[in-house]
Amino acid sequence: MSSETLMKHMTAAYITPETGDLLLGRPRPGSFVIDRWEMLQLVKDTSTQTGIGEREIAILAAHLSVLTPGPIRADQLLVSYAQVSGMLNRANCMDERRFRRGEAQLEKLGFIYRNLSGNGRRFPVRDASGRAIDAYGIDLRPLFLRHQELCDLREQAKQDRCRTAALRSRISARLSAIKRQAMEEKTYLATDLAAVLNEIRNVLRRVSSKTTDLLRAEEKLLKITTYREAVQEDAIEPAAVPPSLPDKSTVDDGQSNRHSDSKRKEIYLLSRMGRTNERCSTNHHRTKPWRAYTEVASLYPVEPRTMTDILKIIEEFSGFVGVRRLTVIELIETTDPMLLLESLNQLARNLTKVRNPTGYLLSRVRVTNV
């Protein structure tokens, strides 16, 4: 371990030899009574933060197993002085060279202190009664002195996991809300928008996704929701505008005929495209520059070349702002495309203040056609 980490947990008097009676042993700093296996579990739980590997954990477990049975107390000798050859079986039958390299890594990480004798042997220092008062070997006291630090790291990791889980739930809820709104309003998701939503869903599903990945995904999702949700109480209503008609299917009241509706939508769109393209050249001089439609142009920066392209943009963009597709098809049949595009652009600009995008668009179109 580094000298800074070592000195943080152990005093100089503890590392250097005693100048007094050698049979009194070195100082034994700390005040703790800890179960060794709980301490080992704490090391495992914080391995990501501390950088300790499986090899080092196995070696640490082997050294802990040879300490005096019972809870580990600060006033006892915490040195493992068993010979390496006798420890290999306790460390999953590890070979000696790998075992010694693991001990060196443990010291580098600040979990142990190697108190080596002159010839490298490991043995206890005993008093006249035969009691071990010190030893040369692997001192495990630095591990137990870091107990509070490791507890704090584990608690921080737990908080981070809870925070990440909450972020996942929040993104998932917003993602589901967008899809649910599209289904309720009978709109559809354009290809580009669907691809972004699918990408966000994949980020949520990956276990390896980090908090930064989730935050980037949420940022993309928030950009999308600005075009699909009306979050304000007050709606913007154009002056002197009659109330908008309900957006209903032309099938019998109280019945549903989705197959017929779908066919009629396509017939409307195709017929409108054909008739609009016929008079495209005569009306083209009335259109504004493409960049004037600021909200639409921000999503479609490339200026459309034909009126068919404009109609496709109108159909897709209306889905972004939450207008029902059937209403858009009917408006394409009866309204000049460029006026309809201008109304959609104005709707997108005021979307956060509009509660009913479909009704707002119908109102603006009526005012424009008057």
Side-chain angles (χ1 to χ4, degrees):
M1 65 181 179
S2 64
S3 58
E4 293 83 359
T5 304
L6 178 61
M7 296 306 297
K8 178 180 178 182
H9 302 286
M10 305 178 68
T11 63
Y14 180 75
I15 300 173
T16 57
E18 285 291 318
T19 56
D21 189 354
L22 295 179
L23 295 183
L24 294 178
R26 290 176 298 168
R28 298 176 180 179
S31 177
F32 52 80
V33 179
I34 305 172
D35 183 273
R36 71 190 71 195
W37 306 122
E38 291 181 1
M39 189 70 212
L40 183 64
Q41 185 60 48
L42 184 58
V43 172
K44 293 178 181 179
D45 293 343
T46 57
S47 59
T48 302
Q49 294 96 315
T50 60
I52 190 172
E54 291 293 334
R55 177 188 65 181
E56 288 74 30
I57 291 176
I59 295 172
L60 203 57
H63 285 299
L64 287 171
S65 67
V66 299
L67 295 180
T68 304
I72 303 300
R73 303 186 310 275
D75 59 352
Q76 71 184 79
L77 182 63
L78 300 180
V79 179
S80 168
Y81 48 83
Q83 296 301 316
V84 173
S85 58
M87 298 286 292
L88 299 180
N89 289 338
R90 294 174 181 262
N92 302 329
C93 299
M94 195 178 300
D95 67 84
E96 184 173 342
R97 290 184 60 187
R98 190 161 180 261
F99 189 92
R100 292 184 183 276
R101 287 197 298 268
E103 288 182 336
Q105 181 65 14
L106 280 171
E107 185 177 36
K108 181 179 179 181
L109 293 174
F111 288 102
I112 65 171
Y113 170 63
R114 292 189 295 176
N115 183 31
L116 303 178
S117 64
N119 58 7
R121 290 179 61 249
R122 305 178 183 192
F123 58 90
V125 177
R126 302 182 183 275
D127 59 12
S129 64
R131 182 173 62 94
I133 49 91
D134 204 348
Y136 291 97
I138 302 302
D139 196 333
L140 299 169
R141 191 171 298 272
L143 168 65
F144 293 97
L145 290 176
R146 296 185 66 179
H147 178 263
Q148 186 58 48
E149 175 193 348
L150 297 180
C151 285
D152 293 342
L153 287 177
R154 182 167 62 181
E155 182 63 25
Q156 179 183 351
K158 183 179 179 180
Q159 292 292 338
D160 291 342
R161 287 193 299 270
C162 292
R163 191 175 293 107
T164 301
L167 181 58
R168 284 180 183 272
S169 298
R170 186 171 69 186
I171 296 174
S172 179
R174 287 176 175 171
L175 186 63
S176 298
I178 291 178
K179 295 180 180 180
R180 187 165 53 250
Q181 182 184 9
M183 293 178 62
E184 291 174 353
E185 296 181 357
K186 298 181 181 179
T187 58
Y188 75 104
L189 298 175
T191 303
D192 294 343
L193 178 59
V196 174
L197 295 181
N198 187 61
E199 178 186 347
I200 295 174
R201 183 194 62 180
N202 292 337
V203 171
L204 290 176
R205 288 181 173 180
R206 283 196 294 269
V207 180
S208 60
S209 295
K210 300 179 181 179
T211 304
T212 52
D213 299 328
L214 295 174
L215 290 174
R216 282 195 295 266
E218 185 178 39
E219 184 179 356
K220 293 180 181 179
L221 195 59
L222 288 174
K223 290 181 180 179
I224 294 173
T225 54
T226 56
Y227 287 95
R228 299 197 59 84
E229 292 183 353
V231 297
Q232 299 293 334
E233 289 289 335
D234 298 329
I236 293 181
E237 297 292 344
V241 177
S244 60
L245 296 177
D247 183 39
K248 297 180 62 177
S249 172
T250 56
V251 296
D252 293 340
D253 191 22
Q255 299 183 7
S256 175
N257 191 345
R258 296 182 180 178
H259 182 68
S260 300
D261 284 350
S262 178
K263 285 185 177 180
R264 188 163 60 82
K265 292 174 187 177
E266 299 302 327
I267 293 173
Y268 277 0
L269 181 59
L270 292 174
S271 63
R272 181 60 177 163
M273 284 182 177
R275 287 195 294 272
T276 305
N277 281 328
E278 291 177 0
R279 67 173 188 270
C280 176
S281 58
T282 59
N283 291 342
H284 184 70
H285 66 279
R286 295 164 46 195
T287 62
K288 298 189 297 184
W290 181 249
R291 63 179 178 274
Y293 305 97
T294 54
E295 302 298 323
V296 180
S298 65
L299 290 181
Y300 300 91
V302 180
E303 182 175 355
R305 294 178 177 271
T306 65
M307 191 58 65
T308 300
D309 295 337
I310 293 177
L311 292 177
K312 289 181 178 178
I313 290 175
I314 290 175
E315 188 185 17
E316 287 188 3
F317 189 78
S318 62
F320 292 165
V321 296
V323 178
R324 295 178 182 174
R325 187 167 185 262
L326 178 59
T327 301
V328 176
I329 300 299
E330 293 173 345
L331 288 175
I332 288 177
E333 176 67 21
T334 59
T335 308
D336 183 274
M338 305 314 297
L339 297 178
L340 180 55
L341 189 65
E342 174 62 31
S343 297
L344 283 171
N345 188 73
Q346 188 65 28
L347 169 60
R349 186 176 301 150
N350 300 312
L351 186 60
T352 57
K353 303 176 183 178
V354 176
R355 288 181 295 181
N356 184 4
T358 302
Y360 179 85
L361 180 63
L362 287 171
S363 299
R364 282 202 58 85
V365 169
R366 289 194 187 94
V367 172
T368 306
N369 286 334
V370 173

